[in-house]
Amino acid sequence: MSVREIRLLGDPVLKTVSDPVVVVDDRIRGLVDDLLDSVRLPGRAGVAAAQIGVNLRAFSYNVDGQIGYILNPEIIELSGEPQLVDEGCLSVPGLWFPTLRHPFARARGTDLDGTVIEVSGTGVMAQALQHETDHLDGLVYLDRLDKPARREAMKQVRESAWF
C-alpha cells in the first residue's frame, strides 16, 4: 500500500481512545499494509493507527529486525521495576524525554485471520509495546512525564517549527 503521513501533536486523533477492530475486511487489510509500510522507514520502532489518522486499535512494530503488527492489542503483562528510558515519538518530532517504562512487556491481540497472537520483549520492544498501546488509549508519551518535565516538554513543543 503506502507509507502514510504521521499526525503531529495537536491533532485530535492522538488524544482519542481508539475503537476496536470488529470486522477484518479489505479496509483493515489495507490499514495493516500501510502500518507495515510506514514502520519500515529507518528510525521507526512502532506506528499506531491513530498516528496515521485511523481511530482503530492496531499498531505495527519494527524492533531488532522483527517487523509485525497486532490488532486490538492489550498489555497483559508488565514486569520489572519501571525505569526512566529516553523516549521520543514520531508525532512529537525532535523531542526526547526520560519516560518511566517497565523493562518487560507482553501484549496480546489478533492477526488478520483472527488468530490470537502475543508479542513480548525487553528493552526497545517493551518500550514500543507500551508506547504504541498508549497511543491507542489516547495518550502520547509526554502525558507520562512528571509535571516539571511535562512543562519543559510543552515549552519545547510550542517553540518547535512543526507545531
Side-chain angles (χ1 to χ4, degrees), residues 22-43:
V22 178
V23 175
V24 173
D25 55 15
D26 287 342
R27 186 177 80 115
I28 299 302
R29 284 186 277 281
L31 170 63
V32 167
D33 286 343
D34 289 352
L35 285 169
L36 291 170
D37 287 348
S38 297
V39 83
R40 282 189 170 96
L41 294 180

Side-chain angles (χ1 to χ4, degrees), residues 48-92:
Q51 290 182 281
I52 59 172
V54 179
N55 188 33
L56 290 172
R57 296 190 75 79
F59 68 76
S60 57
Y61 55 88
N62 180 359
V63 178
D64 297 329
Q66 185 180 356
I67 298 173
Y69 70 93
I70 187 166
L71 304 177
N72 297 324
E74 294 178 68
I75 298 288
I76 59 167
E77 182 183 353
L78 295 170
S79 64
E81 193 64 33
Q83 302 169 356
L84 286 173
V85 292
D86 282 339
E87 192 156 325
C89 179
L90 299 171
S91 295
V92 188

Side-chain angles (χ1 to χ4, degrees), residues 58-153:
F59 68 76
S60 57
Y61 55 88
N62 180 359
V63 178
D64 297 329
Q66 185 180 356
I67 298 173
Y69 70 93
I70 187 166
L71 304 177
N72 297 324
E74 294 178 68
I75 298 288
I76 59 167
E77 182 183 353
L78 295 170
S79 64
E81 193 64 33
Q83 302 169 356
L84 286 173
V85 292
D86 282 339
E87 192 156 325
C89 179
L90 299 171
S91 295
V92 188
L95 300 183
W96 292 81
F97 286 91
T99 305
L100 275 177
R101 296 292 185 187
H102 289 271
F104 176 85
R106 180 184 316 279
R108 180 181 294 149
T110 61
D111 65 13
L112 287 170
D113 296 324
T115 303
V116 174
I117 58 173
E118 289 187 4
V119 180
S120 63
T122 59
V124 175
M125 180 60 88
Q127 187 177 3
L129 294 173
Q130 293 167 80
H131 181 105
E132 300 311 326
T133 302
D134 275 354
H135 274 304
L136 304 181
D137 292 334
L139 299 172
V140 294
Y141 84 100
L142 301 180
D143 296 322
R144 296 227 176 250
L145 302 179
D146 64 25
K147 285 190 183 205
R150 182 166 166 70
R151 203 171 9 261
E152 175 58 26

